mmCIF file of all heavy atoms in Angstrom:
data_model
loop_
_atom_site.group_PDB
_atom_site.id
_atom_site.type_symbol
_atom_site.label_atom_id
_atom_site.label_comp_id
_atom_site.label_asym_id
_atom_site.label_seq_id
_atom_site.Cartn_x
_atom_site.Cartn_y
_atom_site.Cartn_z
ATOM 1 N N THR A 21 0.834 -1.199 0.000
ATOM 2 C CA THR A 21 0.000 0.000 0.000
ATOM 3 C C THR A 21 0.868 1.249 0.000
ATOM 4 O O THR A 21 0.599 2.204 -0.745
ATOM 5 C CB THR A 21 -0.951 -0.005 1.209
ATOM 6 O OG1 THR A 21 -1.804 -1.150 1.106
ATOM 7 C CG2 THR A 21 -1.807 1.249 1.249
ATOM 8 N N ASP A 22 1.917 1.244 0.799
ATOM 9 C CA ASP A 22 2.826 2.404 0.833
ATOM 10 C C ASP A 22 3.486 2.631 -0.530
ATOM 11 O O ASP A 22 3.649 3.774 -0.952
ATOM 12 C CB ASP A 22 3.888 2.231 1.914
ATOM 13 C CG ASP A 22 3.310 2.399 3.318
ATOM 14 O OD1 ASP A 22 2.180 2.901 3.444
ATOM 15 O OD2 ASP A 22 3.997 2.013 4.281
ATOM 16 N N LEU A 23 3.860 1.552 -1.201
ATOM 17 C CA LEU A 23 4.432 1.700 -2.542
ATOM 18 C C LEU A 23 3.390 2.293 -3.489
ATOM 19 O O LEU A 23 3.697 3.177 -4.296
ATOM 20 C CB LEU A 23 4.934 0.350 -3.061
ATOM 21 C CG LEU A 23 5.537 0.358 -4.468
ATOM 22 C CD1 LEU A 23 6.688 1.357 -4.576
ATOM 23 C CD2 LEU A 23 6.001 -1.051 -4.835
ATOM 24 N N GLY A 24 2.152 1.830 -3.360
ATOM 25 C CA GLY A 24 1.070 2.397 -4.176
ATOM 26 C C GLY A 24 0.905 3.888 -3.925
ATOM 27 O O GLY A 24 0.683 4.669 -4.851
ATOM 28 N N LEU A 25 1.050 4.288 -2.664
ATOM 29 C CA LEU A 25 0.955 5.718 -2.336
ATOM 30 C C LEU A 25 2.080 6.512 -2.987
ATOM 31 O O LEU A 25 1.871 7.645 -3.428
ATOM 32 C CB LEU A 25 0.994 5.922 -0.827
ATOM 33 C CG LEU A 25 -0.336 5.868 -0.113
ATOM 34 C CD1 LEU A 25 -0.146 5.980 1.388
ATOM 35 C CD2 LEU A 25 -1.262 6.958 -0.603
ATOM 36 N N SER A 26 3.251 5.925 -3.055
ATOM 37 C CA SER A 26 4.369 6.606 -3.728
ATOM 38 C C SER A 26 4.023 6.865 -5.186
ATOM 39 O O SER A 26 4.263 7.960 -5.710
ATOM 40 C CB SER A 26 5.647 5.767 -3.630
ATOM 41 O OG SER A 26 6.048 5.647 -2.292
ATOM 42 N N PHE A 27 3.460 5.866 -5.842
ATOM 43 C CA PHE A 27 3.031 6.056 -7.234
ATOM 44 C C PHE A 27 1.916 7.098 -7.325
ATOM 45 O O PHE A 27 1.900 7.942 -8.222
ATOM 46 C CB PHE A 27 2.557 4.735 -7.847
ATOM 47 C CG PHE A 27 3.639 3.723 -8.061
ATOM 48 C CD1 PHE A 27 3.450 2.401 -7.694
ATOM 49 C CD2 PHE A 27 4.857 4.077 -8.638
ATOM 50 C CE1 PHE A 27 4.441 1.449 -7.898
ATOM 51 C CE2 PHE A 27 5.857 3.140 -8.848
ATOM 52 C CZ PHE A 27 5.653 1.819 -8.475
ATOM 53 N N PHE A 28 0.987 7.037 -6.360
ATOM 54 C CA PHE A 28 -0.122 7.989 -6.353
ATOM 55 C C PHE A 28 0.388 9.421 -6.274
ATOM 56 O O PHE A 28 -0.007 10.280 -7.056
ATOM 57 C CB PHE A 28 -1.078 7.702 -5.183
ATOM 58 C CG PHE A 28 -2.214 8.671 -5.103
ATOM 59 C CD1 PHE A 28 -3.365 8.461 -5.827
ATOM 60 C CD2 PHE A 28 -2.123 9.812 -4.315
ATOM 61 C CE1 PHE A 28 -4.417 9.364 -5.778
ATOM 62 C CE2 PHE A 28 -3.167 10.713 -4.256
ATOM 63 C CZ PHE A 28 -4.320 10.488 -4.988
ATOM 64 N N PHE A 29 1.272 9.689 -5.317
ATOM 65 C CA PHE A 29 1.756 11.053 -5.134
ATOM 66 C C PHE A 29 2.660 11.509 -6.274
ATOM 67 O O PHE A 29 2.838 12.708 -6.485
ATOM 68 C CB PHE A 29 2.429 11.221 -3.779
ATOM 69 C CG PHE A 29 1.435 11.185 -2.648
ATOM 70 C CD1 PHE A 29 1.603 10.317 -1.582
ATOM 71 C CD2 PHE A 29 0.310 11.996 -2.655
ATOM 72 C CE1 PHE A 29 0.680 10.271 -0.544
ATOM 73 C CE2 PHE A 29 -0.618 11.962 -1.633
ATOM 74 C CZ PHE A 29 -0.432 11.095 -0.575
ATOM 75 N N ALA A 30 3.194 10.546 -7.018
ATOM 76 C CA ALA A 30 3.946 10.879 -8.240
ATOM 77 C C ALA A 30 2.974 11.063 -9.409
ATOM 78 O O ALA A 30 3.404 11.299 -10.530
ATOM 79 C CB ALA A 30 4.958 9.786 -8.553
ATOM 80 N N ARG A 31 1.688 10.920 -9.118
ATOM 81 C CA ARG A 31 0.599 11.052 -10.085
ATOM 82 C C ARG A 31 0.676 10.010 -11.189
ATOM 83 O O ARG A 31 0.254 10.232 -12.306
ATOM 84 C CB ARG A 31 0.509 12.476 -10.614
ATOM 85 C CG ARG A 31 0.289 13.425 -9.414
ATOM 86 C CD ARG A 31 -0.194 14.744 -9.766
ATOM 87 N NE ARG A 31 -0.307 15.539 -8.532
ATOM 88 C CZ ARG A 31 -1.239 16.407 -8.324
ATOM 89 N NH1 ARG A 31 -2.155 16.628 -9.229
ATOM 90 N NH2 ARG A 31 -1.282 17.090 -7.213
ATOM 91 N N GLN A 32 1.191 8.854 -10.815
ATOM 92 C CA GLN A 32 1.215 7.684 -11.688
ATOM 93 C C GLN A 32 0.049 6.779 -11.248
ATOM 94 O O GLN A 32 0.240 5.740 -10.626
ATOM 95 C CB GLN A 32 2.558 6.959 -11.575
ATOM 96 C CG GLN A 32 3.721 7.786 -12.041
ATOM 97 C CD GLN A 32 5.046 7.072 -11.816
ATOM 98 O OE1 GLN A 32 5.105 5.847 -11.637
ATOM 99 N NE2 GLN A 32 6.120 7.834 -11.823
ATOM 100 N N TYR A 33 -1.146 7.218 -11.588
ATOM 101 C CA TYR A 33 -2.345 6.604 -11.038
ATOM 102 C C TYR A 33 -2.536 5.151 -11.470
ATOM 103 O O TYR A 33 -2.981 4.325 -10.679
ATOM 104 C CB TYR A 33 -3.576 7.450 -11.354
ATOM 105 C CG TYR A 33 -3.457 8.849 -10.806
ATOM 106 C CD1 TYR A 33 -3.573 9.959 -11.625
ATOM 107 C CD2 TYR A 33 -3.196 9.051 -9.450
ATOM 108 C CE1 TYR A 33 -3.445 11.247 -11.111
ATOM 109 C CE2 TYR A 33 -3.058 10.318 -8.931
ATOM 110 C CZ TYR A 33 -3.185 11.419 -9.765
ATOM 111 O OH TYR A 33 -3.052 12.689 -9.258
ATOM 112 N N GLU A 34 -2.202 4.831 -12.716
ATOM 113 C CA GLU A 34 -2.358 3.454 -13.186
ATOM 114 C C GLU A 34 -1.454 2.511 -12.386
ATOM 115 O O GLU A 34 -1.881 1.440 -11.957
ATOM 116 C CB GLU A 34 -2.060 3.359 -14.684
ATOM 117 C CG GLU A 34 -2.528 2.062 -15.305
ATOM 118 C CD GLU A 34 -4.024 1.822 -15.163
ATOM 119 O OE1 GLU A 34 -4.829 2.726 -15.467
ATOM 120 O OE2 GLU A 34 -4.387 0.710 -14.730
ATOM 121 N N ARG A 35 -0.216 2.915 -12.175
ATOM 122 C CA ARG A 35 0.710 2.090 -11.387
ATOM 123 C C ARG A 35 0.235 1.979 -9.939
ATOM 124 O O ARG A 35 0.362 0.926 -9.313
ATOM 125 C CB ARG A 35 2.121 2.663 -11.445
ATOM 126 C CG ARG A 35 2.758 2.472 -12.825
ATOM 127 C CD ARG A 35 4.166 2.993 -12.883
ATOM 128 N NE ARG A 35 5.058 2.058 -12.184
ATOM 129 C CZ ARG A 35 6.335 2.316 -11.939
ATOM 130 N NH1 ARG A 35 6.879 3.456 -12.338
ATOM 131 N NH2 ARG A 35 7.089 1.444 -11.309
ATOM 132 N N ALA A 36 -0.304 3.069 -9.413
ATOM 133 C CA ALA A 36 -0.830 3.046 -8.050
ATOM 134 C C ALA A 36 -1.980 2.046 -7.943
ATOM 135 O O ALA A 36 -2.031 1.241 -7.003
ATOM 136 C CB ALA A 36 -1.295 4.444 -7.639
ATOM 137 N N ILE A 37 -2.880 2.086 -8.908
ATOM 138 C CA ILE A 37 -4.021 1.162 -8.909
ATOM 139 C C ILE A 37 -3.534 -0.283 -8.925
ATOM 140 O O ILE A 37 -4.013 -1.120 -8.161
ATOM 141 C CB ILE A 37 -4.963 1.462 -10.098
ATOM 142 C CG1 ILE A 37 -5.690 2.798 -9.851
ATOM 143 C CG2 ILE A 37 -5.957 0.329 -10.323
ATOM 144 C CD1 ILE A 37 -6.411 3.350 -11.065
ATOM 145 N N GLU A 38 -2.576 -0.573 -9.789
ATOM 146 C CA GLU A 38 -2.025 -1.930 -9.850
ATOM 147 C C GLU A 38 -1.462 -2.357 -8.499
ATOM 148 O O GLU A 38 -1.673 -3.484 -8.049
ATOM 149 C CB GLU A 38 -0.931 -2.009 -10.919
ATOM 150 C CG GLU A 38 -1.438 -1.906 -12.338
ATOM 151 C CD GLU A 38 -0.303 -1.781 -13.357
ATOM 152 O OE1 GLU A 38 0.869 -2.046 -13.009
ATOM 153 O OE2 GLU A 38 -0.605 -1.413 -14.505
ATOM 154 N N GLN A 39 -0.747 -1.456 -7.863
ATOM 155 C CA GLN A 39 -0.123 -1.778 -6.577
ATOM 156 C C GLN A 39 -1.176 -1.977 -5.484
ATOM 157 O O GLN A 39 -1.077 -2.899 -4.681
ATOM 158 C CB GLN A 39 0.863 -0.677 -6.182
ATOM 159 C CG GLN A 39 1.829 -1.087 -5.127
ATOM 160 C CD GLN A 39 2.710 -2.253 -5.558
ATOM 161 O OE1 GLN A 39 3.229 -2.291 -6.660
ATOM 162 N NE2 GLN A 39 2.869 -3.217 -4.671
ATOM 163 N N PHE A 40 -2.187 -1.112 -5.455
ATOM 164 C CA PHE A 40 -3.246 -1.261 -4.459
ATOM 165 C C PHE A 40 -4.006 -2.574 -4.663
ATOM 166 O O PHE A 40 -4.383 -3.237 -3.703
ATOM 167 C CB PHE A 40 -4.200 -0.075 -4.487
ATOM 168 C CG PHE A 40 -3.573 1.235 -4.080
ATOM 169 C CD1 PHE A 40 -3.849 2.396 -4.784
ATOM 170 C CD2 PHE A 40 -2.709 1.313 -2.999
ATOM 171 C CE1 PHE A 40 -3.282 3.606 -4.414
ATOM 172 C CE2 PHE A 40 -2.135 2.516 -2.619
ATOM 173 C CZ PHE A 40 -2.422 3.667 -3.331
ATOM 174 N N GLU A 41 -4.231 -2.940 -5.928
ATOM 175 C CA GLU A 41 -4.917 -4.202 -6.195
ATOM 176 C C GLU A 41 -4.090 -5.390 -5.714
ATOM 177 O O GLU A 41 -4.634 -6.356 -5.182
ATOM 178 C CB GLU A 41 -5.256 -4.315 -7.683
ATOM 179 C CG GLU A 41 -6.392 -3.382 -8.069
ATOM 180 C CD GLU A 41 -6.687 -3.346 -9.559
ATOM 181 O OE1 GLU A 41 -5.812 -3.761 -10.370
ATOM 182 O OE2 GLU A 41 -7.789 -2.888 -9.918
ATOM 183 N N LYS A 42 -2.766 -5.324 -5.874
ATOM 184 C CA LYS A 42 -1.891 -6.384 -5.346
ATOM 185 C C LYS A 42 -2.026 -6.462 -3.827
ATOM 186 O O LYS A 42 -2.099 -7.555 -3.259
ATOM 187 C CB LYS A 42 -0.429 -6.108 -5.712
ATOM 188 C CG LYS A 42 -0.073 -6.412 -7.136
ATOM 189 C CD LYS A 42 1.403 -6.118 -7.371
ATOM 190 C CE LYS A 42 1.749 -6.207 -8.829
ATOM 191 N NZ LYS A 42 3.151 -5.836 -9.085
ATOM 192 N N ALA A 43 -2.048 -5.313 -3.188
ATOM 193 C CA ALA A 43 -2.176 -5.283 -1.731
ATOM 194 C C ALA A 43 -3.514 -5.881 -1.297
ATOM 195 O O ALA A 43 -3.579 -6.600 -0.288
ATOM 196 C CB ALA A 43 -2.025 -3.860 -1.210
ATOM 197 N N LEU A 44 -4.571 -5.611 -2.045
ATOM 198 C CA LEU A 44 -5.887 -6.142 -1.685
ATOM 199 C C LEU A 44 -5.980 -7.649 -1.887
ATOM 200 O O LEU A 44 -6.774 -8.314 -1.225
ATOM 201 C CB LEU A 44 -6.985 -5.428 -2.470
ATOM 202 C CG LEU A 44 -7.313 -4.026 -1.977
ATOM 203 C CD1 LEU A 44 -8.271 -3.329 -2.933
ATOM 204 C CD2 LEU A 44 -7.869 -4.054 -0.562
ATOM 205 N N GLU A 45 -5.158 -8.186 -2.792
ATOM 206 C CA GLU A 45 -5.119 -9.642 -2.937
ATOM 207 C C GLU A 45 -4.645 -10.281 -1.632
ATOM 208 O O GLU A 45 -5.087 -11.362 -1.275
ATOM 209 C CB GLU A 45 -4.188 -10.042 -4.086
ATOM 210 C CG GLU A 45 -4.755 -9.756 -5.458
ATOM 211 C CD GLU A 45 -3.751 -10.031 -6.578
ATOM 212 O OE1 GLU A 45 -2.718 -10.699 -6.332
ATOM 213 O OE2 GLU A 45 -4.006 -9.558 -7.695
ATOM 214 N N MET A 46 -3.743 -9.588 -0.930
ATOM 215 C CA MET A 46 -3.209 -10.110 0.329
ATOM 216 C C MET A 46 -4.159 -9.863 1.497
ATOM 217 O O MET A 46 -4.228 -10.660 2.428
ATOM 218 C CB MET A 46 -1.860 -9.457 0.623
ATOM 219 C CG MET A 46 -0.789 -9.882 -0.318
ATOM 220 S SD MET A 46 0.740 -9.065 0.153
ATOM 221 C CE MET A 46 1.358 -8.645 -1.454
ATOM 222 N N ASP A 47 -4.859 -8.724 1.437
ATOM 223 C CA ASP A 47 -5.772 -8.375 2.523
ATOM 224 C C ASP A 47 -6.964 -7.605 1.954
ATOM 225 O O ASP A 47 -6.944 -6.377 1.867
ATOM 226 C CB ASP A 47 -5.048 -7.526 3.571
ATOM 227 C CG ASP A 47 -5.949 -7.179 4.753
ATOM 228 O OD1 ASP A 47 -7.107 -7.658 4.807
ATOM 229 O OD2 ASP A 47 -5.491 -6.422 5.627
ATOM 230 N N PRO A 48 -8.007 -8.335 1.542
ATOM 231 C CA PRO A 48 -9.166 -7.690 0.925
ATOM 232 C C PRO A 48 -9.935 -6.754 1.857
ATOM 233 O O PRO A 48 -10.747 -5.956 1.402
ATOM 234 C CB PRO A 48 -10.063 -8.854 0.488
ATOM 235 C CG PRO A 48 -9.363 -10.099 0.825
ATOM 236 C CD PRO A 48 -8.119 -9.779 1.581
ATOM 237 N N ASN A 49 -9.678 -6.854 3.159
ATOM 238 C CA ASN A 49 -10.388 -6.003 4.118
ATOM 239 C C ASN A 49 -9.543 -4.845 4.629
ATOM 240 O O ASN A 49 -9.873 -4.251 5.655
ATOM 241 C CB ASN A 49 -10.888 -6.846 5.291
ATOM 242 C CG ASN A 49 -11.966 -7.806 4.855
ATOM 243 O OD1 ASN A 49 -12.846 -7.453 4.094
ATOM 244 N ND2 ASN A 49 -11.869 -9.041 5.307
ATOM 245 N N SER A 50 -8.499 -4.516 3.917
ATOM 246 C CA SER A 50 -7.675 -3.377 4.319
ATOM 247 C C SER A 50 -8.404 -2.085 3.954
ATOM 248 O O SER A 50 -8.485 -1.703 2.785
ATOM 249 C CB SER A 50 -6.316 -3.420 3.615
ATOM 250 O OG SER A 50 -5.628 -2.209 3.844
#
């Protein structure tokens, strides 16, 4: 999730989405 935030704040939204989706695979209730 933190890596996704790094992409988000760099305004790389597609990469952020991919990273957040990976994180949700590990914990869907985050």
Side-chain angles (χ1 to χ4, degrees):
T21 299
D22 287 346
L23 179 56
L25 272 176
S26 296
F27 292 134
F28 178 86
F29 289 127
R31 302 197 182 216
Q32 296 176 19
Y33 301 124
E34 194 59 49
R35 289 182 75 188
I37 290 168
E38 290 171 15
Q39 197 61 45
F40 295 137
E41 287 174 341
K42 284 181 189 176
L44 284 172
E45 287 174 15
M46 291 181 221
D47 182 4
N49 293 318
S50 170

